[in-house]
């Protein structure tokens, strides 16, 4: 999905990943945008900063934010496919995927 960001190409996904993406979309709407799994570029920036023990510059933050925004994520619900409209977009599903995994483990 991330590799095709900005190309206009759709990425078909597995049923499990579709469930996580659909939940991400639902939580984005319910939280009025507070939950946003499209902040991967920003997450990467801050992880790098933590490793280097250096706070990112305002310009670095603004550049990362240019590649974020759930409104730039499109779903093809019929074909269970997704595409990221902006180049450099990167999904970070860590928070919601962990909950999904725990829920599936509980089901088992």
């Amino acid at each position: 999905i991330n590799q095709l960001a900005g190309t206009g190409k759709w990425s078909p996904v597995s049923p499990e990943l579709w469930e996580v993406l659909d939940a991400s979309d639902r939580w984005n709407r319910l939280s009025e945008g507070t939950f946003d799994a499209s902040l991967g570029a920003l997450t990467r920036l801050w992880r790098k900063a933590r490793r280097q023990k250096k706070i990112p510059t305002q310009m670095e933050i603004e550049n990362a934010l240019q590649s974020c925004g759930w409104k730039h994520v499109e779903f093809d619900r019929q074909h269970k496919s997704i595409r990221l409209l902006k180049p450099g977009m990167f999904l970070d599903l860590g928070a919601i995927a962990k909950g999904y995994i725990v829920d599936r483990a509980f089901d088992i």
Side-chain angles (χ1 to χ4, degrees):
I1 297 169
N2 296 326
Q3 291 175 340
L4 294 177
T7 67
K9 295 180 182 179
W10 289 94
S11 297
V13 298
S14 67
E16 296 81 10
L17 181 53
W18 181 259
E19 223 177 306
V20 172
L21 291 167
D22 189 49
S24 296
D25 187 47
R26 186 172 53 256
W27 280 107
N28 180 268
R29 284 184 274 112
L30 289 171
S31 70
E32 298 178 359
T34 301
F35 179 84
D36 188 342
S38 76
L39 296 177
L42 197 58
T43 304
R44 279 184 167 180
L45 175 64
W46 280 100
R47 284 183 183 150
K48 179 181 173 187
R50 185 176 49 190
R51 280 192 313 272
Q52 294 178 346
K53 298 180 179 171
K54 179 183 168 199
I55 295 182
T57 66
Q58 188 62 36
M59 181 176 279
E60 289 172 318
I61 293 169
E62 289 171 13
N63 286 340
L65 285 170
Q66 292 298 311
S67 299
C68 299
W70 197 251
K71 65 183 176 238
H72 304 294
V73 178
E74 286 189 345
F75 291 88
D76 178 344
R77 296 189 183 284
Q78 182 179 355
H79 297 103
K80 291 192 172 32
S81 296
I82 185 174
R83 68 178 168 186
L84 307 178
L85 301 177
K86 296 187 91 174
M89 283 190 83
F90 182 82
L91 295 181
D92 181 353
L93 300 172
I96 199 160
K98 289 174 186 131
Y100 174 83
I101 292 165
V102 169
D103 286 348
R104 295 299 74 77
F106 183 74
D107 290 344
I108 292 170

